[in-house]
Amino acid sequence: MKIDLSSLRPVELSDRARFDKELAKMASQSCEACFPNIFMYREPYGIEFVEIEGRLVVYERVTRIIHYPLGEKTDPELLYKISKAFVKAGLTDGGIYDVPESFLDDFPDCDRFFELEYDEGAIDYLFSVEKIASFTGPKLRKKHNLVKQFQANWPYAEVRKITKADIPVAAKLAADLNSRLEQCEFLDEEALALKNAWENFEELGLSGIILFAEPDYPAGLSVYSELAESDTIDVHFEKADHAIKGASQTLTWQLAVALRGKTKFMNREQDMNEESLRHAKRSLDPERFFKRYFLRNIK
């Protein structure tokens, strides 16, 4: 079988229906198997895709890796052939990202073709919406105390759903909060992703909330979307004013309240081995993890 990469091209907004069709076959809880993320980060990562054997193969030109194909299960032999085609074209060094743990269960002999790599910082954190909404468990009860402090200090606080009219407020808040952080490459990448999110909010199927400490004082925002054929939403961006005690915890709680009865889990993505971020995520008492692996050709 000859694999043709001539149709490899950048991801466009018009590709959403095609991606959603293949993503629905996977019902994955991975934040990477999500069209909004693929589209929003297409510029900083140079994201392109090609259709091979009825599957969509995402390629990151900047990192020179491909993602595990979207669609029907891909066996190790086909996956190896796809990877080798990218290597032969000079596009990768044989790396495959976002390989689900289920692939290893389905194909325990995949080590005939690949070396396996695992990075704890690349796992997704999945949280129970019901547990966060109801502050179930000792870890979350501590969060409840901070929420009560926020409510006492800001009695006129309210939460609004992000509509098209609210996008300028949300965009300004996100930019203002990011400007207070130590500037780095990640923030530059996120700025491009946020720009794509605000410009294509409805078209990407995004939803979100803004927390106001007072009517004209936005204190935090969350932006999310549903993962295809899954009981999980992915939280793409969540930012709160840390100068306001309890704002971050209140925002997370209010998002869970808004999602209660509509979905079971929220994927709050990776910690990227950043200690403070890891501590923050684990303090919310994750229900489970989505473990992804990285495969490298051995031949």
Side-chain angles (χ1 to χ4, degrees), residues 118-137:
Y118 175 71
D119 178 5
E120 187 177 1
I123 65 173
D124 288 353
Y125 288 74
L126 297 163
F127 299 87
S128 164
V129 168
E130 179 61 31
K131 283 175 64 174
I132 291 179
S134 58
F135 297 110
T136 301

Side-chain angles (χ1 to χ4, degrees), residues 52-287:
I52 299 175
E53 293 290 301
R55 300 160 176 81
L56 303 182
V57 180
V58 172
Y59 170 62
E60 294 184 14
R61 193 164 287 274
V62 172
T63 59
R64 289 174 52 81
I65 60 172
I66 62 173
H67 289 212
Y68 180 77
L70 307 179
E72 300 289 349
K73 286 183 182 180
T74 304
D75 62 62
E77 187 172 357
L78 176 56
L79 188 59
Y80 178 72
K81 289 177 179 177
I82 292 172
S83 180
K84 286 293 284 185
F86 275 84
V87 171
K88 186 176 180 180
L91 297 173
T92 78
D93 301 315
I96 305 165
Y97 176 63
D98 200 35
V99 179
E101 191 171 22
S102 59
F103 176 83
L104 307 182
D105 296 332
D106 293 335
F107 306 106
D109 63 342
C110 67
D111 57 0
R112 293 186 298 125
F113 300 96
F114 305 104
E115 290 181 347
L116 179 70
E117 298 177 12
Y118 175 71
D119 178 5
E120 187 177 1
I123 65 173
D124 288 353
Y125 288 74
L126 297 163
F127 299 87
S128 164
V129 168
E130 179 61 31
K131 283 175 64 174
I132 291 179
S134 58
F135 297 110
T136 301
K139 286 187 177 181
L140 293 175
R141 281 196 288 273
K142 293 179 182 178
K143 305 294 182 185
H144 192 194
N145 291 333
L146 289 165
V147 170
K148 287 191 289 185
Q149 290 180 54
F150 174 86
Q151 292 172 324
N153 292 331
W154 303 93
Y156 300 106
E158 63 174 325
V159 175
R160 300 179 200 167
K161 182 179 179 180
I162 297 178
T163 65
K164 193 170 184 178
D166 298 309
I167 286 176
V169 174
K172 183 178 185 304
L173 175 61
D176 288 348
L177 293 177
N178 276 356
S179 70
R180 304 178 193 178
L181 303 175
E182 182 178 349
Q183 297 306 294
C184 62
E185 185 179 1
F186 168 76
L187 287 179
D188 292 338
E189 294 170 352
E190 188 182 72
L192 284 172
L194 281 164
K195 179 176 181 291
N196 284 326
W198 304 134
E199 290 178 351
N200 305 281
F201 198 81
E202 294 179 347
E203 293 83 355
L204 286 171
L206 298 174
S207 301
I209 60 172
I210 304 177
L211 172 67
F212 287 82
E214 291 181 345
D216 295 317
Y217 187 180
L221 64 88
S222 286
V223 174
Y224 66 92
S225 70
E226 297 179 6
L227 294 177
E229 294 299 317
S230 174
D231 53 6
T232 306
I233 62 98
D234 184 70
V235 182
H236 303 291
F237 310 105
E238 185 164 283
K239 301 183 179 298
D241 188 340
H242 294 289
I244 301 177
K245 190 171 185 179
S248 177
Q249 294 76 16
T250 302
L251 178 65
T252 301
W253 169 62
Q254 286 286 3
L255 178 60
V257 169
L259 294 170
R260 202 174 194 176
K262 299 175 183 177
T263 191
K264 291 184 178 180
F265 302 102
M266 58 171 76
N267 182 330
R268 300 180 68 83
E269 304 193 349
Q270 307 103 321
D271 63 39
M272 307 305 289
N273 290 312
E274 183 182 319
E275 196 58 38
S276 60
L277 193 55
R278 177 168 294 177
H279 174 76
K281 290 180 185 293
R282 292 187 177 181
S283 71
L284 282 171
D285 195 14
E287 188 77 5

